[in-house]
């Protein structure tokens, strides 16, 4: 069986619709997971009573259970307690919670490099712990944590393909769906791998631009 | 009697676990005066100075600033106090990701409620005073140690504090740049800024201090005007400490 480029071209519009959904669900989840990471890391680093234990437990739970189980829990489990989300938002919630746990740990690593001296200097100026966190500690921590945060974002993007399991018509779902009708396995999987690769490259490029901008203060 | 002191400590105690770092410290700092703290390493100078703005929480005793007594257990009270008392650290502690100007406008905008324009105008005027107007847009990493420390001093001044605490402000500097920083501090003293200074610069202490306080093992051993304390120390502990310094101290020629 030859590689049928014409077939792929014909599937272009369907693949593009899947790609668009993958991009949407991933971008929203990346942004939200970074916010979860910042909030969670703040709670941990500022040692907010009780909440910091909750955050620690959440991180452990996410890291030690399969993402697919988490996804099924959200999509099939939560409606049982009256929380019914759409396919799309179930996917966003799952990816956000999953990646958020890793972003907390990434940012905590970055925060560990922010010296006690800057905390004291902030407090000595009358800044509150929260202002120290978001004006000083977090911006510095992000610079250090950016490579790890990019890795998590890339994993999130790739893991968005799990969402096909609940029937969200993202890129992988489209491919599997077509294969079940046309049996063009080689073409389809080759195509989506190339597309995922391209997405990861774009994401890496954007991150390197961000890194360049963030590091301006440290280039002399 | 004269007006009450700007800063007044009574019976201040601090423990770190089982170790008692401060024993019943009584200290008064008059408005407009310069108090210099000296003493051997580990004697509690940094601990004491940090107790004045709550970076170290005293365990017992009392602290009053400008006639108001500070509730030692109230974080909000410490935060308000810190907007009134500046601090300069040995390692400058400028925010490395912010320009010199932003370093100086951050707290005044957030805590004093200045507009950006007001805060920037004030920052530029202060920078000009220490000869660094041309560095406003630079990042701290591009400045020498002495320049960074001068920025740290004017960053503290930008909060319009009632007093400034200095913890060994020149100890991390090259000898050439120490002079610039000490000159700025002399200028502040002349202008009547209330300062509490931990330093090993005995020449500076002699010249600028209104009172010198000698500490050892977490307690104040003796205090007095610089001429008296350097010229005729009363306690053997003080004499021993000063005799160790004498050979290297530039300004004891008087
Ligand atoms: N956070 C802390 N935890 C435990 N012990 C501490 C702490 N801070 C200070 N100490 C101890 O308290 C004592 C006084 O320390 P401090 O830093 O005040 O001394 P210092 O006079 O400033 O000394 P130096 O001239 O070396 O700066 C020292 O024995 C020190 O080890
Ligand atoms: Mg010290």
């Amino acid at each position: 069986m030859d590689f049928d480029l014409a077939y792929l071209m014909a599937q272009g519009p369907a693949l593009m619709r899947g790609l668009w959904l993958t991009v949407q669900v991933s971008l929203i989840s990346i942004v939200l997971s970074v916010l979860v990471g910042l909030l969670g890391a703040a709670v941990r680093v500022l040692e907010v009573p009780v909440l910091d234990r909750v955050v620690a437990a959440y991180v452990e739970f996410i890291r030690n259970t399969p993402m697919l189980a988490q996804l099924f829990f959200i999509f099939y489990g939560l409606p049982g307690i009256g929380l019914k989300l759409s396919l799309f938002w179930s996917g966003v919630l799952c990816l956000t919670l999953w990646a958020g746990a890793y972003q907390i740990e990434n940012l905590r690593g970055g925060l560990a490099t922010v010296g006690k001296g800057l905390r004291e200097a902030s407090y000595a100026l009358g800044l509150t712990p929260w202002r120290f966190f978001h004006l000083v500690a977090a911006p510095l921590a992000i610079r250090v944590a950016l490579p790890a945060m990019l890795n998590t974002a890339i994993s999130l993007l790739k893991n968005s393909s799990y969402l096909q399991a609940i029937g969200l018509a993202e890129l992988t779902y489209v491919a599997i769906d077509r294969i079940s009708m046309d049996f063009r396995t080689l073409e389809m999987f080759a195509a989506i791998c190339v597309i995922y690769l391209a997405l990861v490259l774009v994401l890496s490029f954007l991150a390197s631009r961000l890194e360049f901008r963030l590091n301006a203060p440290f280039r002399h | 009697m004269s007006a009450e002191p700007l800063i007044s400590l009574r019976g201040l105690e601090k423990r770190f676990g089982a170790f008692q770092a401060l024993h019943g410290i009584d200290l008064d700092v008059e408005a407009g005066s310069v108090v210099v703290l000296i003493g051997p390493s580990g004697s509690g100078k940094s601990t004491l100075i940090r107790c004045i703005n709550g970076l170290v929480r005293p365990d017992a005793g009392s602290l009053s600033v400008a006639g108001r007594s500070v509730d030692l257990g109230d974080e909000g009270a410490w935060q308000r106090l810190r907007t009134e008392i500046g601090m300069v650290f040995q390692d400058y502690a400028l925010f490395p990701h912010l320009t010199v100007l932003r370093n100086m406008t951050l707290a005044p905008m957030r805590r004093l409620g200045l507009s950006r324009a007001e805060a920037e105008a004030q920052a530029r005027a202060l920078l000009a005073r220490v000869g660094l107007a041309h560095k406003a847009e630079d990042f701290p990493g591009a400045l020498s140690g002495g320049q960074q420390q001068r920025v740290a001093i004017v960053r503290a001044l930008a909060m319009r504090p009632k007093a400034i605490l200095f913890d060994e402000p020149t100890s991390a500097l090259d000898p050439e740049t120490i002079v610039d920083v000490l000159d700025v501090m002399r200028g502040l003293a002349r202008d009547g800024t209330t300062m509490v200074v931990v330093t090993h610069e005995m020449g500076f202490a002699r010249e600028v201090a209104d009172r010198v306080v000698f500490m050892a093992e977490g307690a104040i051993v003796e205090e007095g005007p610089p001429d008296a304390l350097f010229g005729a120390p009363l306690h053997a502990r003080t004499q021993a400490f000063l005799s160790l310094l004498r050979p290297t101290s530039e300004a004891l020629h008087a």
Side-chain angles (χ1 to χ4, degrees), chain A residues 116, chain B residues 14-17 19-22 38-50 56 90 167-168 198 200 215 217-218:
Chain A
K116 178 164 164 276
Chain B
K14 179 64 197 179
R15 292 177 162 282
F16 294 110
F19 175 74
Q20 180 129 23
L22 293 178
I38 61 172
S41 180
S43 57
K45 306 180 297 294
S46 296
T47 306
L48 173 55
I49 207 171
R50 284 171 146 74
V56 169
Q90 180 173 336
D167 193 354
E168 303 202 28
V198 175
H200 297 296
M215 289 183 72
E217 282 137 34

